Amino acid sequence: MTLLVPGFPTLPEDGQIQTGSFLEACDKIPQFFDLMGGTVFKPVKNDVLGNITKVRKRFLENPIKMATLEELILFEKSEDDNKKNKEKDGTGIATNALMWLKRGLEFVAVFLEHLIKKDYDDNIENLKGAAKLAYSKTLQPFHGWLIGKVVSAATNACPYRADFLKSVASGENVDVSKIEDLLAAFAKNFHATVGQIHILFEKHGVEKKA
């Protein structure tokens, strides 16, 4: 399975994200953590995997009523008396999982954005700079001290930029000279999707600040 093709679908004009196709695209994201540092990123990778599973399990209970991510959020908000599908704070199980999944996805999206822009370090081969920037902008504000230390240390295990690109190119079966263009195309729809989920969470008041 390749990482970049087909990737996340182009965001439609109405901003509605189909839950099924979104989850299929998300299934590839954990592989990025393997390329970024392998087992040292296991806590973040497992969190992403777990949240994909939670959202998919809930979606498959009623795929018609939760066909889009916005419908999923609204469906869970309407279940006022269904405590078995709620977190302790009253948030729907899938909505809460989607919130944390969004944060994990954003970490990868921002990492790729810096990798492509080459704006993370004077030595662009040093990818730990891109990973540290991405972490500080996305997951770090929501992590406790201990997990923050673990992930910050994990960023030091990032491979050199050239090696990372070679690994991605190998998976896509393309020449490494073409991989940056493929990454940029992938990152465009990826970033737009994560941004739209942010909008949905703010719109429906389900974003938790911690």
Side-chain angles (χ1 to χ4, degrees):
M1 181 173 69
T2 68
L3 274 177
L4 307 181
V5 180
F8 288 83
T10 301
L11 198 65
E13 289 186 9
D14 64 4
Q16 293 300 318
I17 300 169
Q18 295 297 313
T19 307
S21 56
F22 166 75
L23 290 171
E24 287 178 10
C26 285
D27 283 334
K28 299 182 178 183
I29 298 302
Q31 293 180 67
F32 276 105
F33 295 109
D34 295 332
L35 298 180
M36 289 171 66
T39 56
V40 293
F41 278 103
K42 190 174 181 179
V44 183
K45 177 183 176 180
N46 285 347
D47 190 58
V48 169
L49 283 167
N51 287 315
I52 292 171
T53 298
K54 287 179 183 177
V55 176
R56 177 173 279 122
K57 181 180 178 181
R58 191 75 170 103
F59 164 62
L60 292 176
E61 290 175 8
N62 200 329
I64 294 176
K65 289 190 176 180
M66 292 183 276
T68 68
L69 294 184
E70 184 164 30
E71 288 172 331
L72 181 150
I73 291 169
L74 291 172
F75 182 79
E76 290 207 317
K77 285 189 75 174
S78 72
E79 292 188 309
D80 293 332
D81 300 323
N82 194 346
K83 292 185 179 180
K84 76 180 183 70
N85 288 320
K86 299 285 187 181
E87 297 288 350
K88 291 181 180 179
D89 63 1
T91 307
I93 288 175
T95 301
N96 186 70
L98 180 59
M99 179 185 70
W100 281 102
L101 175 57
K102 164 178 64 72
R103 293 168 180 174
L105 296 177
E106 190 175 27
F107 171 57
V108 178
V110 174
F111 170 78
L112 293 178
E113 182 180 32
H114 283 302
L115 179 145
I116 292 164
K117 290 182 177 179
K118 305 175 185 177
D119 61 354
Y120 49 88
D121 198 289
D122 291 337
N123 175 14
I124 64 167
E125 281 300 306
N126 187 4
L127 273 188
K128 71 178 183 181
K132 286 183 183 297
L133 274 174
Y135 183 60
S136 68
K137 293 178 178 179
T138 58
L139 286 170
Q140 191 171 32
F142 307 104
H143 279 171
W145 179 84
L146 182 58
I147 188 65
K149 285 286 187 182
V150 171
V151 179
S152 292
T155 61
N156 292 319
C158 282
Y160 289 116
R161 187 176 189 275
D163 292 334
F164 179 85
L165 293 176
K166 285 178 184 177
S167 295
V168 178
S170 176
E172 302 301 312
N173 198 27
V174 298
D175 189 87
V176 71
S177 64
K178 300 178 181 178
I179 200 61
E180 287 191 54
D181 288 339
L182 275 177
L183 271 171
F186 173 85
K188 180 180 179 182
N189 286 348
F190 185 17
H191 214 281
T193 298
V194 174
Q196 182 60 23
I197 299 173
H198 269 292
I199 291 172
L200 291 177
F201 270 73
E202 292 296 334
K203 177 182 177 181
H204 297 293
V206 289
E207 180 71 53
K208 289 187 284 187
K209 303 303 180 184

